Amino acid sequence: GRRRPRSAPLSAYLLTRMAAPDEEFRVKSLTWHGRDTYMLMQGDNGPCPLLALCNVLLLRNSIALPRPGAPNVAQSELTALLAEYMLESNPVTEASPPDLAANLTDAMALFPKLGRGLDVNVRFDAVDGLEYSEDLLIFDLLRVRLLHGWLVDPQDTATAAAVGSRSYNQLVERIIEIQSLTQANAAAEPDAPPPPPPEAAAPYPGADPFPAADPIPAAGGAAAARCGPGVVLHVAMDGSVYRDEVVAAASGGGGGWRPLLLLVPLRLGLDRLNAEYVPTILGLLRLPQCVGVIGGRPRSSYYFIGSQGERLLYLDPHEVQPALRPDDPDVASCHYGRGLRSVRVGDIDPSLAFGFLCGSADEFDELCAGCARVGSSSLSAFSIAEARVLCYERAGSEAEEAEPLSSDDDDDLVVL
């Protein structure tokens, strides 16, 4: 029969974790497979993941709206409804998988993002081609299969071969890399042909075979290269920071911790910065480990060192500075200006790189915690995970070949 929401409210802890602006959405009545049900209508570019999940579960008859027949429903009601259904359909017992309780806790922490957008990195070779991330945990626990329609036309063999199984993030980095190499070559030799793409062996199975998108290896160094006396540099590509790789770079394989400069290159939009990332940028800049942001505006490159309100304070690396002598009192700061300069954070270029300096393992742990706090209240700019996930399979199932979708699969998919 129809599942009814429990009369007992969620705990204050869960409501606090899932707090969100209480926007309301229109409710539309419809008949689905001979049964009267409802569908939620999206507002002004509203919370796609939240509404999509609720609509799938409504069509499955797995949940019921708290006020049947009402013309509108509040976002807080939908969030609580999904959370209660997730807990009811995944009871923690002695026979439960050992990681179920932890997965439920992690999924609850992700609920605020349902109202803003999830971090989903698609691959273009299959409708279920998705690089696994923590954000997909909610779909797994709600037993909703996530699909997308961004596929390369198989008849376009050249594009299909170029894209392959690479993810969206990998392709963006690849395009930027090729453009940078082409521009650098054109500046050095105006009449020379474009350079061929770099080739290198993949460092691990399934890795992007073009690691030269990382500027440090491209310059002829290792992924962890020294950038100063006693300081180690690590570049986290593809919008992902893996703790085991950072620890390995800082320890050098010999234990201990050397001061580490962590660079995280990102592209937060296509032609312009996605406004959803504005609070994220401001929040990350306030972290004590952040040493600034390499970025700029169209046709201008800046080094952002702080913020005031929604304006970023910056230094211009192209400004000519007086030469410094060893006995000069300003030698401690080799770049200074005669006044603060600022730019609206929404006007900066979407391509940028965050820098974080961690003098100890404890500082790196504090950085990870700080990034999690920023991501809990705004759209995450990058993810932090313990290690790379090379292959993801649902527990208790074997990998199976994809089967054609039928009308019976309608209740199991969400189209982005």
Side-chain angles (χ1 to χ4, degrees), residues 326-352:
D327 57 346
D328 194 307
D330 293 320
V331 73
S333 178
C334 62
H335 192 127
Y336 62 95
R338 289 180 288 276
L340 286 175
R341 299 180 181 181
S342 66
V343 60
R344 285 184 63 256
V345 62
D347 293 337
I348 68 174
D349 192 87
S351 294
L352 49 84

Side-chain angles (χ1 to χ4, degrees), residues 177-197:
E177 170 209 349
I178 293 175
Q179 290 177 339
S180 299
L181 289 174
T182 302
Q183 293 170 359
N185 184 73
E189 301 180 49
D191 298 328

Side-chain angles (χ1 to χ4, degrees), residues 40-362:
L40 306 173
M41 309 301 291
Q42 184 169 332
D44 296 333
N45 195 27
C48 299
L50 175 63
L51 298 182
L53 285 169
C54 287
N55 281 333
V56 167
L57 296 177
L58 284 170
L59 294 177
R60 285 183 181 174
N61 202 25
S62 298
I63 61 174
L65 295 181
R67 295 177 287 114
N72 299 289
V73 62
Q75 181 169 331
S76 59
E77 294 177 306
L78 297 177
T79 305
L81 188 62
L82 276 187
E84 291 188 15
Y85 174 73
M86 178 181 291
L87 295 176
E88 288 178 345
S89 57
N90 295 278
V92 178
T93 65
E94 293 183 356
S96 300
D99 58 347
L100 178 59
N103 286 342
L104 287 170
T105 301
D106 293 342
M108 287 298 175
L110 295 170
F111 261 74
K113 299 177 67 175
L114 289 177
R116 298 186 302 271
L118 297 176
D119 181 12
V120 178
N121 188 20
V122 303
R123 302 184 188 278
F124 302 91
D125 56 348
V127 293
D128 58 352
L130 295 163
E131 184 177 89
Y132 180 72
S133 68
E134 186 182 52
D135 289 10
L136 298 181
L137 184 59
I138 293 178
F139 289 88
D140 286 345
L141 290 173
L142 291 175
R143 296 168 181 83
V144 174
R145 185 184 180 198
L146 181 61
L147 306 177
H148 67 84
W150 294 305
L151 299 176
V152 176
D153 185 351
Q155 295 181 349
D156 186 353
T157 56
T159 301
V163 172
S165 62
R166 298 186 186 92
S167 68
Y168 170 82
N169 288 342
Q170 290 173 325
L171 289 172
V172 169
E173 294 296 340
R174 178 66 174 145
I175 291 171
I176 295 173
E177 170 209 349
I178 293 175
Q179 290 177 339
S180 299
L181 289 174
T182 302
Q183 293 170 359
N185 184 73
E189 301 180 49
D191 298 328
E199 296 182 0
Y204 51 87
D208 184 351
F210 302 104
D214 182 334
I216 301 307
R226 291 189 175 276
C227 62
V231 179
V232 173
L233 176 65
H234 179 75
V235 182
M237 301 303 297
D238 297 332
S240 300
V241 176
Y242 299 105
R243 294 177 62 100
D244 62 335
E245 295 180 4
V246 173
V247 171
S251 66
W257 185 280
R258 294 173 294 177
L260 178 135
L261 178 62
L262 173 63
L263 295 183
V264 187
L266 301 167
R267 188 170 183 87
L268 306 181
L270 296 178
D271 297 330
R272 63 184 61 187
L273 182 76
N274 186 336
E276 295 292 330
Y277 288 110
V278 169
T280 307
I281 294 173
L282 297 175
L284 293 175
L285 265 175
R286 295 189 186 102
L287 297 179
Q289 294 82 14
C290 185
V291 295
V293 179
I294 304 170
R297 302 174 68 178
R299 298 177 299 278
S300 299
S301 298
Y302 299 141
Y303 173 43
F304 300 110
I305 58 174
S307 65
Q308 183 177 32
E310 289 200 0
R311 299 190 69 85
L312 297 181
L313 309 179
Y314 68 87
L315 300 173
D316 187 347
H318 304 97
E319 183 176 334
V320 178
Q321 303 292 329
L324 295 178
R325 300 186 305 275
D327 57 346
D328 194 307
D330 293 320
V331 73
S333 178
C334 62
H335 192 127
Y336 62 95
R338 289 180 288 276
L340 286 175
R341 299 180 181 181
S342 66
V343 60
R344 285 184 63 256
V345 62
D347 293 337
I348 68 174
D349 192 87
S351 294
L352 49 84
F354 276 92
F356 304 99
L357 183 62
C358 301
S360 65
D362 289 340

